[in-house]
Amino acid sequence: RDLIASFSQKFPENPDLLTLLAEAEDQCGDLRSAETAAKKALDIKPTEQRIHMLLGRIVEKNGNLDRAAYYYSQAVSLDGMQIDGYLKLSQVYIKQREFQKARRVLEQGIANIPGNVELYLTCAALFKEAKDYRGAELMLRKASQIEPRNVSIHRQLGAILALNMVHQSQEVGSQV
């Protein structure tokens, strides 16, 4: 950390050194210094997706979810093929209890990266949490098409099918 800091002082316009310094400060738990270094790097290289992700992670650790959502959203805008951006942004929205926003982010990720199972599984978990078992089932079925030999997906799908049956029987019972 000290070595990186001394190099970044000698070369204050080097965004890669500043990003390394921010990562080192983050790992040492000095979030204020990490954020300062990352912001300097971002000022020099504002279109660097990696720096936006780093700043999102740092401010999220500080508990500033609105700013974390901003940085993650910027990262997704800069590179719509990076899965982590969608996952991190949706997690922030879930922490904020903004489930519709989280769902839209995940659906955008699925549209941009349709072969990624993790996005489908995260979306399925979100649907399940909202008691939308049909939506969860649909996401798990798509995930199982991508990875047909993944036993974990099939177990989750079985559990969702059972929950859906119980939920439907309760709906029918309440209508009678």
Side-chain angles (χ1 to χ4, degrees), residues 6-154:
S6 69
F7 275 118
S8 67
Q9 287 174 353
K10 289 179 184 176
F11 305 100
E13 296 300 312
N14 186 318
D16 296 327
L17 279 174
L18 288 167
T19 302
L20 279 174
L21 178 61
E23 289 171 342
E25 297 289 5
D26 178 33
Q27 289 176 358
C28 291
D30 189 350
L31 298 178
R32 183 173 292 152
S33 295
E35 184 176 352
T36 300
K39 281 183 176 179
K40 286 179 185 176
L42 193 62
D43 287 342
I44 297 165
K45 207 170 185 180
T47 59
E48 183 66 39
Q49 186 264 356
R50 186 174 132 228
I51 301 171
H52 285 278
M53 289 295 294
L54 175 62
L55 265 166
R57 186 175 73 230
I58 292 166
V59 298
E60 183 179 0
K61 284 181 183 179
N62 269 331
N64 194 328
L65 298 180
D66 289 335
R67 287 181 50 222
Y70 170 78
Y71 286 120
Y72 292 142
S73 179
Q74 292 298 308
V76 166
S77 295
L78 290 168
D79 186 353
M81 299 303 288
Q82 291 295 324
I83 297 155
D84 285 347
Y86 294 107
L87 293 173
K88 291 289 189 181
L89 182 55
S90 70
Q91 288 168 0
V92 166
Y93 284 143
I94 289 168
K95 287 178 184 177
Q96 293 178 315
R97 318 250 343 127
E98 296 276 355
F99 299 113
Q100 290 302 323
K101 286 183 180 179
R103 178 179 165 182
R104 282 193 298 269
V105 165
L106 291 168
E107 289 172 345
Q108 179 187 359
I110 288 168
N112 289 340
I113 315 167
N116 184 271
V117 170
E118 194 171 1
L119 290 168
Y120 285 104
L121 294 178
T122 305
C123 199
L126 184 61
F127 279 123
K128 179 184 170 201
E129 187 69 28
K131 296 187 179 8
D132 180 353
Y133 302 121
R134 289 186 185 121
E137 177 186 345
L138 177 66
M139 292 294 122
L140 288 170
R141 286 191 185 280
K142 288 181 180 180
S144 72
Q145 290 172 351
I146 296 167
E147 288 187 14
R149 294 180 186 210
N150 187 323
V151 176
S152 175
I153 295 172
H154 291 287

